[in-house]
Amino acid sequence: YIDAIQGWWPDSLILKALGVPGYTAPYSYNVLNLAFYQGGHPSDAMEPWCNPTKYFSLATMQNLTGQTSPTDAQFRTSL
C-alpha cells in the first residue's frame, strides 16, 4: 500500500516510492496498491502514475521507454 510519496526529486525517488524494480528493494510480491482517488481525481501516490509527464523528466521517460516522445501510457507500460 503506497499512500504518500516522501521525495519528489530526483525522479529516482518517485520510482522507488512506486516500487519500480531496480529503484527499490526486491519484494516477494508483484502487486502494489497506490492511493488515492478523491472526488474522481488522483491524489497522493496516484498522481505520478496517472500523469507521469507532470512528474518525470523527459530524459527519464525516454530512458525507460526507449521512445523519443513517450506518452504517459508508454511510460506506465515500461514500468
Side-chain angles (χ1 to χ4, degrees):
Y1 173 79
I2 303 167
D3 178 9
I5 293 178
Q6 301 301 314
W8 293 94
W9 189 88
D11 292 347
S12 59
L13 287 180
I14 302 172
L15 295 169
K16 179 180 179 182
L18 294 177
V20 175
Y23 294 90
T24 191
Y27 294 100
S28 59
Y29 47 87
N30 63 358
V31 175
L32 298 171
N33 295 307
L34 303 176
F36 289 101
Y37 264 94
Q38 295 178 328
H41 302 285
S43 63
D44 298 330
M46 284 300 298
E47 270 290 331
W49 177 258
C50 293
N51 303 301
T53 51
K54 291 171 70 176
Y55 294 90
F56 294 97
S57 68
L58 179 59
T60 295
M61 293 183 72
Q62 289 171 330
N63 183 48
L64 291 175
T65 63
Q67 303 292 318
T68 55
S69 299
T71 65
D72 286 346
Q74 288 171 323
F75 183 71
R76 283 189 293 270
T77 299
S78 73
L79 298 181

